Amino acid sequence: MTAPASRATPRLADLAAQAQVSEATASRVLNGRAGVAHATRQRVLAALDVLGYERPVRLRRRSAGLVGLVLPELTNPIFPAFAQIIEQSLAGHGYTPVLCTQMPGGSTEDELVEQLEERGVTGIVFLSGLHADTGADPARYHRLRDRGVPYVLINGHRPDIPAPSVSPDDGAAARMAVDHLAALGHTRIGLAVGPARYVPSRRKAEGFKAALTDRLGLPPADAERRVCHTLFSVEGGHAAADALLDDGCTGLVCGSDLMALGAVRAARGRGLPVPGAVSVVGFDDSPLIAFTDPPLTTVRQPVQSMAAAAVDTLIEEIQGHPVRHTEFVFQPELVVRGSTGALRG
């Protein structure tokens, strides 16, 4: 952001107060003088950005290179949340992020990767891309590796793709949701989740079915019937909830917060209050979800730590320090709000 002309030159008092340093220290940083600790210097530079001042030319960092970030879409608020943290982390390492988003009728993931390679990117972060689709050919990622482009995968580990990957524990997330609903007295619990070909959907379904069997004693065949695969969207959640409510479910576990909002809408459309008659649990804890009506109980995806780990791993690879091609799994957290309650009657 460019500051107004009247404030083109930072006031030392404002800058020092924002950075919590002395005016003398702020002056040394602005004039590029030595004798200031790196962390303190970064704090002063960050204060310049926060206050809306342009950095002096001498203080502008040269980019260490371009790094692509490939997203499936921006409609689901969890993707912009990931993108923001990844971009901030890349910038902190000196790299310039290039955001690429797929849209219906727009460029495919392969086309976006081709465009990134033409721009000479030094690495790529894939978030919930084709790597998460068990029906997609992993050869595209092998070719990318053969061309010497490091990359890291977020959400959707595939052992047949030669790259480090970062994931939440989807199975544990589903078990947390079931345990929470069971503790509230719900015994008829259903799962609304995305298409079965996606790794996160499969893992959530597996954890969910195991929890129904272990916690409620439901036979595996009956547990299987409580899983409804649909689209990862509000409409998909609504459709799945309709089917599960028809089956008598009073507790609904959803594969995303958007699906959970669709489930709430489906219940209310039948005159069933949430949480009075039906309890709903989402997944992600995406921005603003705490302010829905009712505030949504959800399983929080550890976005901050996952995004930081993905960037750190990619930077290691870019700098020539190979990282083991394995999966780094992060633990989710149940956040209880107003969409779940004790079973009545």
Side-chain angles (χ1 to χ4, degrees):
M1 181 171 73
T2 303
S6 61
R7 300 192 66 201
T9 302
R11 289 187 64 238
L12 277 180
D14 294 341
L15 187 59
Q18 178 67 34
Q20 297 182 323
V21 299
S22 68
E23 290 187 28
T25 296
S27 177
R28 295 184 72 85
V29 173
L30 286 180
N31 290 291
R33 294 176 183 166
V36 181
H38 175 74
T40 303
R41 188 179 300 275
Q42 292 303 115
R43 207 158 66 239
V44 174
L45 294 178
L48 275 174
D49 299 337
V50 169
L51 293 174
Y53 293 115
E54 287 190 86
R55 294 188 183 188
V57 174
R58 73 174 74 87
L59 299 180
R60 294 177 190 172
R61 183 189 302 184
R62 284 192 171 189
S63 175
L66 303 177
V67 172
L69 171 56
V70 181
L71 305 181
E73 45 130 333
L74 291 175
T75 305
N76 188 330
I78 197 63
F79 294 134
F82 264 110
Q84 182 177 30
I85 297 170
I86 291 170
E87 290 181 339
Q88 289 173 346
S89 186
L90 285 170
H93 285 282
Y95 290 86
T96 301
V98 180
L99 180 64
C100 298
T101 307
Q102 299 172 65
M103 293 176 290
S107 298
T108 65
E109 181 179 304
D110 292 336
E111 290 168 342
L112 291 173
V113 169
E114 183 179 345
Q115 294 164 21
L116 288 171
E117 288 190 89
E118 288 174 354
R119 297 186 66 175
V121 293
T122 56
I124 301 176
V125 179
F126 291 97
L127 173 59
S128 299
L130 289 173
H131 63 274
D133 186 343
T134 58
D137 186 356
R140 54 176 49 87
Y141 298 104
H142 289 266
R143 290 193 293 269
L144 190 60
R145 176 69 62 182
D146 292 342
R147 293 194 294 270
V149 181
Y151 59 91
V152 63
L153 313 174
I154 301 178
N155 278 347
H157 175 68
R158 290 271 297 274
D160 54 351
I161 296 177
S165 63
V166 174
S167 308
D169 191 333
D170 291 297
R175 289 191 292 273
M176 286 178 188
V178 170
D179 286 344
H180 172 63
L181 292 172
L184 292 172
H186 296 273
T187 57
R188 296 193 67 84
I189 302 171
L191 173 67
V193 73
R197 70 178 189 273
Y198 292 111
V199 173
S201 297
R202 287 189 177 186
R203 289 179 166 182
K204 287 183 176 72
E206 289 167 0
F208 173 81
K209 290 183 288 187
L212 288 190
T213 299
D214 297 341
R215 178 69 189 250
L216 299 175
L218 208 63
D222 291 342
E224 180 72 44
R225 285 192 285 272
R226 298 280 182 84
V227 177
C228 187
H229 289 283
T230 180
L231 300 178
F232 273 121
S233 64
V234 172
E235 294 75 19
H238 190 138
D242 275 335
L244 294 169
L245 291 171
D246 284 343
D247 194 38
C249 290
T250 62
L252 302 177
V253 179
C254 299
S256 73
D257 289 336
L258 290 185
M259 296 182 77
L261 295 181
V264 171
R265 189 173 71 181
R268 285 180 167 172
R270 295 171 175 234
L272 300 173
V274 177
V278 177
S279 286
V280 178
V281 182
F283 177 78
D284 282 335
D285 197 27
S286 41
L288 302 181
I289 211 68
F291 305 101
T292 57
D293 179 26
L296 189 65
T297 293
T298 189
V299 181
R300 176 179 295 155
Q301 189 169 184
V303 174
Q304 181 78 45
S305 53
M306 288 173 60
V311 170
D312 289 344
T313 301
L314 182 64
I315 299 303
E316 287 292 313
E317 295 249 315
I318 289 173
Q319 294 178 348
H321 310 296
V323 177
R324 187 179 174 194
H325 294 167
T326 188
E327 181 180 24
F328 301 93
V329 180
F330 290 76
Q331 288 303 305
E333 174 189 0
L334 178 69
V335 182
V336 179
R337 298 194 182 103
S339 66
T340 52
L343 179 63
R344 298 181 185 176

